[in-house]
Amino acid sequence: MVAGGMRGITAMLYETSLLDAEEGIRFRGRAIPELREKLPKARGGEEPLPEGIMWLMLTGEIPSEAQVRTLSAELAARAEVPKAVFDALDALPKNAHPMTQLSVALMAMQPESKFAKAYQDGAHKTTFWEHAFEDSMDIIARLPAVCAAIYRRTFKDGTLVAADASLDWAANFAHMMGHDSEAVKELMRLYMTIHVDHEGGNVSAHATHLVGSALSDPYLSLVAGLNGLAGPLHGLANQEVLKWLNETREKVGDNATKEELTEFVWATLKSGRVVPGYGHGVLRKTDPRYTCQREFALKHLPDDPMFKLVGKLFEVVPGVLTETGKVKNPWPNVDAHSGVLLQYYGITEANFYTVLFGASRAIGVLSQLTLSRGSGYPIERPKSVTSQWIEEKFGKVEA
Ligand SMILES: CC(C)(COP(=O)(O)OP(=O)(O)OC[C@H]1O[C@@H](n2cnc3c(N)ncnc32)[C@H](O)[C@@H]1OP(=O)(O)O)[C@@H](O)C(=O)NCCC(=O)NCCS
């Protein structure tokens, strides 16, 4: 465990979701298909509103339509972004990765932290959760405008689209990016709902949780998590998947045989790279978040060549990864599918995909951060050892 990235160590309390290796993620005990059915939807829409899963994670209860609409309105009321954020973004080189921009933008907002101010003013520790909640609400409320600004300054002409307070959180997000079709809004609702949380041990959740345990405020804590999400083995994999799919298409074309695809997958492995979108630290089956995105694609874009390619790769990649003899989970994860849906609706800028993941993940990790402050969770301080200590205790270990 000490040499293997702490796999399998049960080491923290994390209430908002729990991951089962075979069944996948459950949010407060409820699986994705159940939530897709039971969480409130937008009028005329079929996908759940992310405000609903946020409510569920914070309270343990499925909200009513009225409760979700109240939460949407509350987020819209808090959505104004301070000017310092735009100044900070403008000071960055235009080619700064969108995740770097997100990190900087949130840091530019940190001076407004109500948690940090309350702590400095001597707040009693039993009230910490209230200040963490206030900051979390402010951050989540502002994320659509912040992320949309990053999108439009990096990939479009830099003009910003004004918020529409009558829309739900995810629909307004799509609107501010400049994507206004109902179909994109539905995709954003689904996307923002399924990426929120994946129990506590993944890099983004754990980093947020760890930094928060030092009573760093929610801005500082979330940025720690997002910087972890920006790693290619974690959240950046969604960007890598689209690039790899494009590369696959370029090399073998749209009508590749299984043999040609198999050869291409082997070529990826032999070049010393991973196959992005496959494998997992905990899951041992196909990720239900992959499956629900596939269902969405079957309904909305069944003939898209990229979607067909994803389906064909599903028939090939697990066999190849199994044949390597070392990959513990050869099945696809959430990232294997998300980019294909986004590109279909014109969001083709792969480097932006992790920002979308991050906006959703913020909802999960900040909900847990609020709960952790409420439960008085202590500062984390696990034990480490040196390899010399291991040798002294157990003798020399052969590599
Ligand atoms: C997610 C991931 C980091 C989990 O890592 P892990 O828990 O160490 O996975 P395993 O225990 O199965 O790894 C054992 C070996 O298989 C390799 N492996 C795992 N998944 C692989 C993949 N998709 N492609 C190629 N090799 C892979 C690992 O790199 C490791 O090789 P090594 O012993 O030479 O270092 C890994 O599966 C991966 O890199 N996947 C691709 C990136 C990705 O999709 N990330 C998003 C995750 S949601």
Side-chain angles (χ1 to χ4, degrees), residues 7 232-235 237 241 269 273-282 284 287 289 321 324 326-329 333-335:
R7 266 334 155 280
L233 295 187
H234 189 25
V241 167
L269 292 176
R273 293 181 292 161
V274 294
V275 177
Y278 280 78
H280 201 270
V282 178
R284 293 297 174 256
D287 192 332
R289 300 172 301 172
L321 292 181
T324 65
K326 62 175 185 179
V327 178
K328 295 193 191 64
N329 176 37
N333 59 55
V334 65
D335 299 320

Side-chain angles (χ1 to χ4, degrees), residues 164-351:
D164 179 346
S166 71
L167 292 172
D168 56 88
W169 185 83
N172 183 48
F173 198 146
H175 162 74
M176 293 187 88
M177 283 173 66
H179 292 276
D180 260 310
S181 72
E182 264 318 300
V184 174
K185 288 174 185 159
E186 277 288 90
L187 175 60
M188 284 291 267
R189 290 171 187 134
L190 176 65
Y191 187 104
M192 292 294 153
T193 297
I194 63 175
H195 284 80
V196 279
D197 212 31
H198 219 221
E199 77 167 27
N202 67 77
V203 172
S204 52
H206 187 200
T208 307
H209 184 73
L210 167 68
V211 173
S213 82
L215 298 184
S216 303
D217 64 59
Y219 293 85
L220 296 167
S221 306
L222 175 63
V223 166
L226 291 176
N227 286 345
L229 195 74
L233 295 187
H234 189 25
L236 204 79
N238 58 9
Q239 148 183 331
E240 298 302 296
V241 167
L242 199 80
K243 289 181 177 168
W244 185 70
L245 290 176
N246 283 328
E247 197 187 319
T248 311
R249 232 175 142 191
E250 245 167 57
K251 282 267 158 53
V252 296
D254 279 340
N255 299 312
T257 60
K258 270 192 181 183
E259 289 67 35
E260 286 167 326
L261 282 175
T262 304
E263 205 178 306
F264 183 77
V265 175
W266 273 115
T268 301
L269 292 176
K270 283 179 187 155
S271 69
R273 293 181 292 161
V274 294
V275 177
Y278 280 78
H280 201 270
V282 178
L283 268 172
R284 293 297 174 256
K285 284 267 169 68
T286 295
D287 192 332
R289 300 172 301 172
Y290 172 93
T291 311
C292 78
Q293 292 182 91
R294 178 172 166 76
E295 285 164 9
F296 186 96
L298 281 170
K299 193 156 117 194
H300 297 282
L301 47 136
D303 299 322
D304 178 56
M306 287 289 263
F307 168 57
K308 287 189 173 163
L309 178 60
V310 168
K312 279 192 196 169
L313 285 164
F314 180 82
E315 290 171 26
V316 165
V317 175
V320 174
L321 292 181
T322 303
E323 224 178 301
T324 65
K326 62 175 185 179
V327 178
K328 295 193 191 64
N329 176 37
W331 301 107
N333 59 55
V334 65
D335 299 320
H337 218 310
S338 52
V340 165
L341 301 182
L342 294 165
Q343 61 85 39
Y344 179 77
Y345 291 111
I347 306 172
T348 53
E349 301 85 0
N351 283 7

Side-chain angles (χ1 to χ4, degrees), residues 356-375:
L356 293 174
F357 192 160
S360 172
R361 183 52 56 96
I363 296 178
V365 298
L366 291 176
S367 296
Q368 177 58 45
L369 194 83
T370 299
L371 297 176
S372 297
R373 297 293 73 77
S375 64

